[in-house]
Amino acid sequence: MAQSFPEDVLEHVFSFLNYDKDRNAVSLVCKSWYEIERLCRRRIFIGNCYAVSPEIVIRRFPDVRAVELKGKPHFADFNLVPEGWGGYVYPWIVSLARAYPWLEEIKLKRMVVTDESLELISKSFKNFKVLVLLSCEGFTTDGLASIAANCRNLRELDLGESEVEDLSGHWLSHFPDNCTSLVSLNISCLGSEVSFCALERLVARCPNLKTLRLNRAVPLEKLPNLLCRAPQLVELGTGAYSAEIQSDIFSNLAEAFLGCKQLKGLSGFWDVVPAYLPAMYSVCSRITSLNLSYATAQNPELVHFVSQCSNLQRLWVLDYIEDAGLEALAASCKDLHELRVFPSDPFDAEANVSLTEQGLVAVSEGCPKLQSVLYFCRQMSNAALVAIARSRPNMIRFRLCIIEPRAPDYLTLEPLDTGFGAIVENCKELRRLSMSGLLTDRVFEYIGTHAKKLEMLSIAFAGDSDLGLHHVLSGCESLRKLEIRDCPFGDKALLANATKLETMRSLWMSSCSVSFGACKLLGQKMPRLNVEVINERGPPDSGPESCPVEKLYVYRTIAGPRVDMPGFVWTMDEQVSSSLSRVTERRGD
Amino acid sequence: MNLKATELRLGLPGTDESQKEYSSFVKSNKRSSEGMDSSCNEEECATAPKAQVVGWPPVRSYRKNVLQQQQKKSDSDVSGMYVKVSMDGAPYLRKIDIKVYKNYPDLLMALENMFKCSMGVYSEREGYNGSEYAPTYEDKDGDWMLVGDVPWDMFVTSCKRLRIMKGSEAKGLGCQ
């Protein structure tokens, strides 16, 4: 029957499949389904831009409308990946421009994007609609000017938390007067002032604008001007939210917010003056997402404001909220799904606020829907972790950062193995885990035994021996991304689990005990892995083979070794590594 | 049976578990793993005097930059960081840099030491009721306020001068 099913019927059925997983499954049924599916796939997600080449993608999927690419490994966020490592989008844009003239969406994360790339995007795709650049770098406001000027149907421009060289605020004026299509604009990462007039006019002429995230330089006094022109906003980034305390500013602000009946999300608040928080009280009960993680407001103003948001689902906040504030949160926000508590003073060993494990325990006990946690604190106990695990078996993402490396249970001085063990044992749906504190090989045994749905694991300053790494690689069936720093893991576990690495997206190991010899061996054994050694101090073969490498990044790929590696990255690819000495001679850097 | 000998571990021969002391955990400026990147990038060396581990705690650069900017801003745009402090009954004034203090308890302790008086603990409802002395300040608008009523950051930017009043006189200010 499958053979007599007309192609267009199958294509129509496939059009309801949006998840890559489903489309991939469908492609494996038979050759004709593979063919039909590949012709009608419109969205591509590439989790590692070096896992595949643009040519391979284009050959298989000839008519794509949306591309999402990720570049640098996650630990690049914490300065562990040296400058110039890679993740350049330009070659992709060149190929995409040739192959997909009807491309509408490009979403990039941790990639290097140049003005040249932005200009090419703006001129190559006639129906370009969505540009999302998360944690990217390498471009200036000139590149943004090209996008503004040339993309006639631009719907979404999201600069995420990218590093943009801010040459001038005038790029915004490049949006033509007849551009009315904007739905989402996020310029919060830009340092300098944009022309407020141009911004105001742009907002006024885009009736479908739902998301507006302003940058710090937008003055609070002018915020009402924008809100009045966009009462349909669903998400607002407020800019600095700071001004001298004047009653007319306050009343204008309060009145403007009163008109925003659709507002569900708030962010910004970089220099927040707490006296102005009550101006938003009229919208609080509708707010489901609140990002106060750059707001230096403290209690009681902070907790008063947060407690007003009874329908809150997502809260990002600084540790100024303190245990008391989290207890209040637990009592007032029963719909909370996600909590992130960031450190206000991460580099001070001493606590500047009264935030401990108690706050997290309170929220875990009080909020039945809590499933995603990121928590920075200075002390933790096994008892607290066990309590959290028992209260929240529905936890999906759990990231705990105890600021002092290798800090033990502060009550018993024992390792935190039991606590994290309880988390993985009780939270059977756990997909992401980041651990900290004093941890032995035992915690990895628990993880290997119980964390069957775990997809991403981040480890730092933990474990005693290779056994720890072996437990994880041999036990975690769903593991896709593993990132490790400063752990005594070495060659044995890595080589014993080499084939596991092909089932994962990537493995990062820095400041561990993996030898150069083992890296070479891994590269030889596994041709479909790119085994890359990052050694800033010099070529890895300048010392004995037993010498540990500084950093190791291993990822599966069908594109072969990279061609754009900088001088401090060496591939362990068999064919390439045999000419290592020649290559090292050539590289003058 | 010496199971330890067959244990899968990559430690140096002769070392064993008993050498680990869980009661003294490693400070963040000690490096115990081999081959560790000992570089400390400029940005982190500039923000804190202690030696720091690269990329720890795992705070994104974007966030670190914002924190630095905020700290710089609060350091530099305080109007009147040096304020005069008078105490009822004392023959001369003092001057202090309120920017030096992190919070109210810090400031109060310093004032108590400087003037050898006791001001007690602030409460929202009662002010400093019951204490011999109470700290007050003149704000930008020229009003006399009780120290502790507004958030610390707001106090630092709006405080023009301090006056340590006799407890009995300060009673009126406490009822806000």
Side-chain angles (χ1 to χ4, degrees):
Chain A
M1 176 152 137
Q3 288 148 322
S4 57
F5 234 34
E7 271 186 27
D8 42 350
V9 173
L10 277 174
E11 200 182 307
H12 181 69
V13 171
F14 293 170
S15 71
F16 293 101
L17 299 175
N18 295 317
Y19 295 115
D20 276 356
K21 242 180 135 184
D22 296 333
R23 281 194 163 257
N24 292 344
V26 143
S27 317
L28 293 174
V29 167
C30 64
K31 277 197 182 145
S32 65
W33 281 37
Y34 176 90
E35 281 302 310
I36 298 165
E37 194 283 317
R38 77 179 188 87
L39 295 174
C40 69
R41 191 176 305 208
R42 301 280 173 260
R43 313 190 70 90
I44 306 278
F45 169 77
I46 297 163
N48 174 6
C49 65
Y50 291 117
V52 69
S53 71
E55 290 67 46
I56 294 172
V57 174
I58 292 163
R59 203 184 322 137
R60 179 172 171 187
F61 302 112
D63 192 2
V64 164
R65 304 292 162 90
V67 173
E68 189 176 339
L69 281 170
K70 292 188 180 180
K72 298 184 208 174
H74 174 237
F75 272 0
D77 285 355
F78 315 127
N79 290 356
L80 289 177
V81 177
E83 193 78 33
W85 175 86
Y88 305 105
V89 81
Y90 188 71
W92 280 90
I93 305 298
V94 168
S95 300
L96 295 175
R98 249 186 272 127
Y100 303 136
W102 296 109
L103 192 69
E104 295 175 3
E105 292 183 23
I106 294 177
K107 293 185 182 173
L108 305 174
K109 188 167 185 182
R110 284 189 211 101
M111 294 200 78
V112 178
V113 182
T114 56
D115 284 348
E116 220 185 350
S117 304
L118 292 177
E119 200 180 331
L120 190 55
I121 291 172
S122 76
K123 299 203 166 132
S124 310
F125 309 112
K126 298 299 166 209
N127 202 23
F128 196 69
K129 295 199 172 110
V130 172
L131 182 63
V132 177
L133 303 172
L134 303 179
S135 304
C136 294
E137 49 158 352
F139 59 103
T140 77
T141 43
D142 283 354
L144 297 177
S146 314
I147 297 289
N150 301 320
C151 301
R152 307 264 125 172
N153 292 317
L154 196 67
R155 274 214 312 249
E156 192 172 331
L157 177 62
D158 182 348
L159 302 179
E161 292 183 337
S162 296
E163 245 177 73
V164 186
E165 198 184 327
D166 219 323
L167 298 175
S168 94
H170 293 299
W171 68 273
L172 202 75
S173 316
H174 287 254
F175 277 108
D177 288 336
N178 60 6
C179 170
T180 57
S181 48
L182 273 183
V183 173
S184 172
L185 180 65
N186 177 5
I187 57 169
S188 52
C189 64
L190 296 180
S192 62
E193 245 178 271
V194 289
S195 154
F196 190 80
C197 274
L199 180 61
E200 203 174 356
R201 279 189 317 220
L202 181 63
V203 168
R205 66 177 183 269
C206 293
N208 296 318
L209 193 67
K210 296 277 187 298
T211 297
L212 179 63
R213 299 202 206 272
L214 303 168
N215 63 335
R216 208 165 176 174
V218 173
L220 182 58
E221 308 88 83
K222 300 227 175 114
L223 190 56
N225 298 30
L226 297 173
L227 294 179
C228 291
R229 283 168 177 67
Q232 75 283 1
L233 278 180
V234 175
E235 282 174 355
L236 173 70
T238 64
Y241 210 74
S242 166
E244 297 263 309
I245 300 174
Q246 283 172 37
S247 55
D248 56 338
I249 298 180
F250 186 97
S251 51
N252 286 346
L253 205 52
E255 204 181 317
F257 272 111
L258 209 53
C260 295
K261 307 278 187 208
Q262 313 293 329
L263 210 51
K264 283 210 161 71
L266 288 170
S267 59
F269 304 108
W270 282 291
D271 300 312
V272 66
V273 168
Y276 282 114
L277 287 174
M280 292 181 288
Y281 278 3
S282 62
V283 301
C284 283
S285 62
R286 284 185 290 268
I287 295 297
T288 55
S289 170
L290 186 56
N291 183 354
L292 289 164
S293 67
Y294 297 103
T296 51
Q298 304 197 20
N299 295 337
E301 292 83 2
L302 180 58
V303 69
H304 278 166
F305 182 66
V306 173
S307 309
Q308 301 274 320
C309 305
S310 47
N311 287 309
L312 204 56
Q313 291 174 14
R314 182 199 298 158
L315 175 66
W316 293 19
V317 73
L318 284 173
D319 54 10
Y320 290 130
I321 190 99
E322 300 192 321
D323 288 341
L326 291 176
E327 277 154 32
L329 178 74
S332 54
C333 303
K334 293 302 185 186
D335 230 0
L336 198 70
H337 285 79
E338 178 178 329
L339 174 68
R340 294 195 191 190
V341 179
F342 294 94
S344 53
D345 204 351
F347 302 110
D348 199 340
E350 304 260 312
N352 58 325
V353 291
S354 176
L355 178 105
T356 68
E357 80 284 5
Q358 288 312 313
L360 184 56
V361 171
V363 180
S364 303
E365 285 171 358
C367 301
K369 298 195 189 157
L370 186 71
Q371 61 179 30
S372 179
V373 166
L374 169 62
Y375 199 78
F376 282 81
C377 60
R378 286 179 166 85
Q379 66 185 42
M380 187 50 58
S381 65
N382 282 309
L385 286 170
V386 170
I388 292 165
R390 294 212 176 122
S391 307
R392 296 273 65 79
N394 52 325
M395 191 72 73
I396 290 178
R397 275 171 233 105
F398 189 76
R399 295 154 75 187
L400 180 68
C401 177
I402 306 162
I403 292 195
E404 185 73 33
R406 299 193 188 90
D409 176 326
Y410 78 100
L411 295 168
T412 64
L413 297 181
E414 284 173 358
L416 291 170
D417 299 339
T418 314
F420 280 105
I423 295 278
V424 292
E425 195 174 341
N426 285 290
C427 308
K428 304 205 193 305
E429 301 300 312
L430 196 69
R431 292 202 304 253
R432 183 168 181 181
L433 178 65
S434 298
M435 305 191 294
S436 53
L438 185 64
L439 297 163
T440 72
D441 282 347
R442 197 172 305 126
V443 75
F444 298 111
E445 194 181 340
Y446 296 147
I447 291 174
T449 307
H450 296 287
K452 296 305 181 186
K453 299 252 176 99
L454 192 66
E455 296 178 6
M456 183 168 178
L457 179 62
S458 309
I459 311 170
F461 305 103
D464 311 311
S465 73
D466 263 27
L467 202 50
L469 180 58
H470 177 71
H471 283 310
V472 170
L473 290 176
S474 57
C476 297
E477 292 161 5
S478 311
L479 197 62
R480 291 189 299 115
K481 289 181 277 186
L482 180 58
E483 44 186 28
I484 303 171
R485 61 163 298 174
D486 294 273
C487 296
F489 298 151
D491 303 345
K492 272 205 195 116
L494 195 60
L495 293 172
N497 293 282
T499 46
K500 169 73 175 176
L501 299 178
E502 253 186 27
T503 68
M504 292 165 54
R505 183 187 296 175
S506 65
L507 166 69
W508 169 279
M509 292 179 74
S510 55
S511 305
C512 296
S513 314
V514 181
S515 73
F516 174 53
C519 293
K520 279 206 293 190
L521 204 55
L522 188 63
Q524 284 164 22
K525 256 179 99 167
M526 311 294 300
R528 282 185 306 205
L529 291 180
N530 274 359
V531 179
E532 291 176 8
V533 167
I534 299 171
N535 252 29
E536 286 177 278
R537 279 182 240 129
D541 61 349
S542 60
E545 295 221 337
S546 57
C547 202
V549 300
E550 291 168 26
K551 299 171 188 180
L552 173 67
Y553 186 48
V554 180
Y555 56 91
R556 66 178 173 189
T557 181
I558 53 173
R562 286 213 264 156
V563 297
D564 63 355
M565 288 176 291
F568 51 81
V569 178
W570 280 268
T571 179
M572 301 294 105
D573 181 83
E574 189 158 26
Q575 281 149 335
V576 178
S577 62
S578 63
S579 56
L580 189 68
S581 47
R582 268 189 283 130
V583 171
T584 326
E585 270 164 38
R586 260 197 292 127
R587 285 181 179 139
D589 35 315
Chain B
M1 193 157 48
N2 184 7
L3 288 172
K4 265 205 152 57
T6 59
E7 216 177 271
L8 175 67
R9 55 200 302 269
L10 203 66
L12 289 172
T15 61
D16 63 24
E17 301 282 83
S18 64
Q19 290 188 343
K20 286 222 172 66
E21 285 164 353
Y22 293 133
S23 57
S24 63
F25 52 89
V26 178
K27 289 277 170 207
S28 59
N29 58 0
K30 286 212 197 111
R31 314 287 166 87
S32 59
S33 4
E34 230 190 329
M36 184 152 159
D37 185 357
S38 60
S39 66
C40 175
N41 71 26
E42 261 177 49
E43 182 192 302
E44 280 157 15
C45 287
T47 37
K50 310 180 191 56
Q52 283 174 12
V53 179
V54 175
W56 192 268
V59 173
R60 299 188 53 227
S61 319
Y62 182 84
R63 178 170 294 281
K64 268 199 293 212
N65 292 340
V66 172
L67 283 177
Q68 271 184 319
Q69 279 171 29
Q70 283 173 335
Q71 277 171 5
K72 266 198 215 137
K73 206 161 192 258
S74 69
D75 283 350
S76 66
D77 79 0
V78 171
S79 55
M81 336 172 239
Y82 272 94
V83 299
K84 286 185 192 166
V85 190
S86 61
M87 179 159 103
D88 289 358
Y92 51 82
L93 305 178
R94 299 297 303 269
K95 220 170 191 185
I96 60 166
D97 177 4
I98 44 180
K99 220 189 34 164
V100 157
Y101 305 101
K102 279 190 186 172
N103 52 38
Y104 282 125
D106 266 6
L107 173 65
L108 288 171
M109 188 155 58
L111 291 175
E112 283 181 337
N113 281 338
M114 198 181 261
F115 290 96
K116 305 282 182 276
C117 63
S118 85
M119 291 182 288
V121 171
Y122 167 83
S123 85
E124 219 176 308
R125 276 189 68 213
E126 306 279 303
Y128 293 88
N129 264 356
S131 305
E132 217 188 342
Y133 290 94
T136 66
Y137 70 103
E138 184 184 21
D139 73 0
K140 277 194 210 156
D141 299 330
D143 298 320
W144 281 93
M145 316 282 294
L146 195 66
V147 168
D149 274 345
V150 302
W152 174 256
D153 288 336
M154 198 186 277
F155 165 77
V156 166
T157 51
S158 59
C159 172
K160 285 269 166 280
R161 54 185 297 168
L162 283 158
R163 178 181 158 200
I164 300 175
M165 275 183 186
K166 284 227 156 57
S168 46
E169 281 189 43
K171 263 210 170 93
L173 282 172
C175 313
Q176 290 281 349

